[in-house]
Amino acid sequence: MERRILIITGSHRKTGNTALLAGWVADGARDYGAQVDLVDAAHLKYKSNGCTSCYGCQDSAEYRCIIKDEASDIIASMPEYDAVVFATPVYFFSLSAQIKLIMDRMYSLFKFKNNKFKNNLDKTNFAVIASAAGDMGSGLEMTGAIIQKLAGFIGKKHKSLLIPNAPMDPVRTATDLEIKEKAMDFGAELSQW
Ligand SMILES: Cc1cc2nc3c(=O)[nH]c(=O)nc-3n(C[C@H](O)[C@H](O)[C@H](O)COP(=O)(O)O)c2cc1C
C-alpha cells in the first residue's frame, strides 16, 4: 500500500542543508512509491508564535489546535500520514524554533485527563532529519533523542537521519554525493516503514 509521508522543514534557508536533505529524502521515498508532502514551517502564516497554553484543544471534542492558521491545518492532518518527519538544523544543541513551534501545538492531538491521555495518532510514526556544523555531540544526538522520546511517549516507531560536519555553505552540500545517497536511502526506508 502507498505510504503517506509528511516532511516538515524548519530552516529559514530555503536552499540550505535542511531543504536539500528533505528534498533528497522525499525523492528517495517517491522512487519507492511513497506519496510525500513537504511543508516549510519557517514560512507558514502563524497567528501565534507557538502554543499559547490556552488549553482550548483539551476542552474541544476535535483533535485540532483552536488557533486557526496554516500551522493548525497541517498539525490536524498529521494522523492521516504513516510518517511525520521533522527536518531541522541543529540550533544550540536542539531542534530549530521553527520546528518547535509546530511540535508544541501538537498538544492538540492529545487529550490529557486524570494523569492519562489519548491521542489520534493511530498509524503515525515519527522521524527526524537533522544536520549540524559540528560532530554528533554538538547537538545531533540530543535532537535525535527528542524525536525518539516523542515517538516512545505514544508507543510509536522512530527513525533518524543525522548528518554531522555538514558544510556551512549548502552549495558544497549539494555536490556531496555521499550525503545525497544517505538521504535517498533514508527516504527509501521511510517508504517501506
Ligand atoms: C542559530 C544557529 C545555531 C546553531 N547551533 C549549532 C549547534 O548547536 N551545533 C552545531 O553543530 N551546529 C549549529 N549550527 C549550524 C547548523 O546546524 C548547520 O549549519 C546546519 O546544517 C544548517 O542548516 P540550514 O542550512 O538548513 O540552515 C547553528 C547555526 C545557527 C544559524
Side-chain angles (χ1 to χ4, degrees), residues 130-138 140 162-167 179 182:
S131 66
D135 60 18
M136 289 299 283
S138 69
L140 274 172
L162 305 175
I163 306 293
N165 309 311
I179 295 180
K182 263 192 195 166

Side-chain angles (χ1 to χ4, degrees), residues 9-21 87-94 96 130-140 143 163-170 173:
T9 56
S11 168
H12 269 280
R13 299 212 291 178
K14 286 188 177 176
T15 55
N17 290 335
T18 305
L20 275 171
L21 289 166
T88 183
V90 169
Y91 280 175
F92 286 97
F93 323 111
S94 188
S96 70
S131 66
D135 60 18
M136 289 299 283
S138 69
L140 274 172
T143 302
I163 306 293
N165 309 311
M168 295 294 278
D169 177 0
T173 313

Side-chain angles (χ1 to χ4, degrees), residues 8 14 16 19 21 39 49 61 63 67 74 82 90 102 107 111 116-117 131 139 141 145 147 157 169-171 175 182:
I8 303 175
K14 286 188 177 176
L21 289 166
V39 167
N49 58 350
Y63 286 89
I67 300 167
I74 285 151
D82 299 293
V90 169
I102 299 283
Y107 202 80
K111 303 288 179 205
K116 289 189 182 148
F117 71 86
S131 66
E141 276 169 351
I147 300 308
K157 294 186 283 188
D169 177 0
V171 173
T175 54
K182 263 192 195 166

Side-chain angles (χ1 to χ4, degrees), residues 91-183:
Y91 280 175
F92 286 97
F93 323 111
S94 188
L95 304 152
S96 70
Q98 289 75 26
I99 290 295
K100 199 68 167 65
L101 277 179
I102 299 283
M103 277 184 71
D104 289 352
R105 289 174 65 190
M106 285 170 62
Y107 202 80
S108 56
L109 304 181
F110 293 77
K111 303 288 179 205
F112 294 94
K113 205 174 183 183
N114 301 330
N115 287 328
K116 289 189 182 148
F117 71 86
K118 49 188 183 172
N119 64 77
N120 67 342
L121 292 157
D122 299 339
K123 68 170 182 182
T124 312
N125 292 313
F126 290 93
V128 64
I129 302 165
S131 66
D135 60 18
M136 289 299 283
S138 69
L140 274 172
E141 276 169 351
M142 286 203 282
T143 302
I146 290 167
I147 300 308
Q148 180 175 5
K149 191 79 185 171
L150 168 68
F153 180 59
I154 51 177
K156 294 295 154 66
K157 294 186 283 188
H158 80 280
K159 277 186 187 293
S160 306
L161 174 66
L162 305 175
I163 306 293
N165 309 311
M168 295 294 278
D169 177 0
V171 173
R172 279 185 49 216
T173 313
T175 54
D176 190 319
L177 296 182
E178 201 181 318
I179 295 180
K180 180 179 179 183
E181 192 180 334
K182 263 192 195 166

